[in-house]
Amino acid sequence: MKAIIVTNQAAGTAGMKLTERPDPQAAINDVIVQVHASGYVPTELAWPSTWADRHGRDRTPSIPGHELAGVVTALGYGTTGLSVGQRVFGLADWYRDGTLAEYVAIEARNLAPLPGDVDFAVGASLPISGLTAWQGLFQHGRLQAGQSVLAHGAAGAVGSMVTQLAREAGAYVIGTGRAADRQKALDFGAQEFVDLDNDALEDVGGVDLVFDVIGGDIQKRSAGLIRAGGTLVSVVGPAGARPANGRAVDFVVESDRAQLNEIVRRVRDGRLRMNIGNVSTLDDAVAAFNPTKRSNGKTVICIRP
């Protein structure tokens, strides 16, 4: 099968190449999925799991990409809950070969049914952004209606999901980003926007939840804005600053079939819009991962026409 592989961490995306790899085999409780579309996160090449297995052993050449939408073509021993020919989408294990390939072996529990009226490219753009936003807001942030959310990177793939889900839950959302991101963040539902290059973040006043995708100085300044009992949620590692009278939570997104079902239901209902940036084919994927200009939104690789 065709697949994108990485072999050299120091080379970054420049070290990616398209090659032939053996077809994957289904282990116990696995399925084989013919991948129609794959999502990609630029930070993957900095993740230890891209280069080593759970025991720290080198696993290159490895196939990156962890989001997918496609069709089940085979079931491993003991697999239940899915069937051959079923459309699915989901999130592949961090420590196994990923989804930038024509086929992938994946645990069945990491997949959810993809309704027939949802495009494969849309399905592949959902898992990391949607689950990160859902888990950060509702599991870790304990968001309630009437609370306020400071959503950093509100025009990005995760931030736009945070904005939409928080608004639907009845929160007041303040988005942040660069000046050029203002209208896009507002279009996704932010009620205010802070230009981090030119506006004073502290003018926001107190908020109940900060959803941080930036870290560093912005995170430290944001911690000081959190009201008593509020939460700083970080997806960029342990918080460097904690709210004086609140909680700080950092987490790594996990696959969850029930949550994927909730997210795709909102897409079908028109309550959740996708934020897809670059769309490319597998043959042109390496160029897509080395863009000549900044792109907001999710990078999606369409494996099959």
Side-chain angles (χ1 to χ4, degrees):
M1 68 173 182
K2 287 184 178 180
I4 296 289
I5 63 166
V6 291
T7 59
N8 184 347
Q9 187 169 5
T13 53
M16 287 180 159
K17 66 178 181 179
L18 180 65
T19 188
E20 288 287 331
R21 295 289 293 162
D23 289 350
Q25 302 299 310
I28 294 173
N29 296 323
D30 274 358
V31 298
I32 300 298
V33 177
Q34 182 185 58
V35 182
H36 284 240
S38 171
Y40 176 73
V41 178
T43 56
E44 282 187 31
L45 300 190
W47 301 348
S49 56
T50 299
W51 306 99
D53 65 16
R54 294 183 187 278
H55 301 287
R57 298 172 299 206
D58 179 83
R59 68 177 192 88
T60 56
S62 59
I63 301 172
H66 293 281
E67 298 164 284
L68 79 154
V71 176
V72 176
T73 59
L75 306 178
Y77 179 78
T79 299
T80 59
L82 296 174
S83 58
V84 172
Q86 186 171 8
R87 300 172 94 248
V88 292
F89 75 116
L91 184 61
D93 188 281
W94 310 124
Y95 290 90
R96 297 176 65 174
D97 275 345
T99 60
L100 288 172
E102 292 180 309
Y103 293 89
V104 66
I106 180 172
E107 287 186 80
R109 65 186 179 93
N110 290 336
L111 297 169
L114 182 68
D117 56 355
V118 178
D119 185 78
F120 285 116
V122 170
S125 73
L126 285 170
I128 288 181
S129 299
L131 290 172
T132 298
W134 187 283
Q135 291 167 18
L137 289 172
F138 306 125
Q139 285 181 225
H140 304 294
R142 305 173 187 172
L143 182 66
Q144 301 294 320
Q147 292 185 327
S148 55
V149 176
L150 181 63
H152 287 308
V158 173
S160 58
M161 285 283 192
V162 170
T163 298
Q164 293 178 85
L165 290 173
R167 278 295 303 271
E168 185 194 31
Y172 185 87
V173 180
I174 304 161
T176 80
R178 299 178 180 179
D181 298 331
R182 180 183 300 273
Q183 192 56 53
K184 187 173 184 180
L186 296 174
D187 289 345
F188 274 111
Q191 287 138 303
E192 293 181 38
F193 182 81
V194 177
D195 172 359
L196 292 175
D197 292 327
N198 299 295
D199 298 336
L201 180 60
E202 287 70 20
D203 287 348
V204 165
V207 296
D208 298 296
L209 190 153
V210 171
F211 202 116
D212 181 44
V213 299
I214 300 174
D217 181 63
I218 292 297
Q219 183 187 88
K220 292 178 182 177
R221 292 164 60 194
S222 300
L225 303 176
I226 295 173
R227 297 188 181 111
T231 306
L232 169 65
V233 174
S234 169
V235 295
V236 289
R242 302 184 67 87
N245 296 294
R247 301 184 304 127
V249 179
D250 68 278
F251 74 101
V252 175
V253 65
E254 297 179 349
S255 187
D256 186 296
R257 182 179 291 175
Q259 292 173 6
L260 287 171
N261 287 334
E262 289 289 339
I263 291 164
V264 79
R265 182 162 61 88
R266 283 162 171 77
V267 172
R268 298 181 75 199
D269 293 346
R271 289 179 286 161
L272 196 58
R273 290 192 296 119
M274 301 318 304
N275 186 2
I276 297 176
N278 290 336
V279 178
S280 183
T281 64
L282 188 61
D283 287 341
D284 296 325
V286 173
F289 300 142
N290 292 279
T292 56
K293 61 181 181 179
R294 179 174 177 252
S295 174
N296 273 333
K298 188 73 186 178
T299 297
V300 175
I301 304 302
C302 291
I303 309 295
R304 298 180 63 81

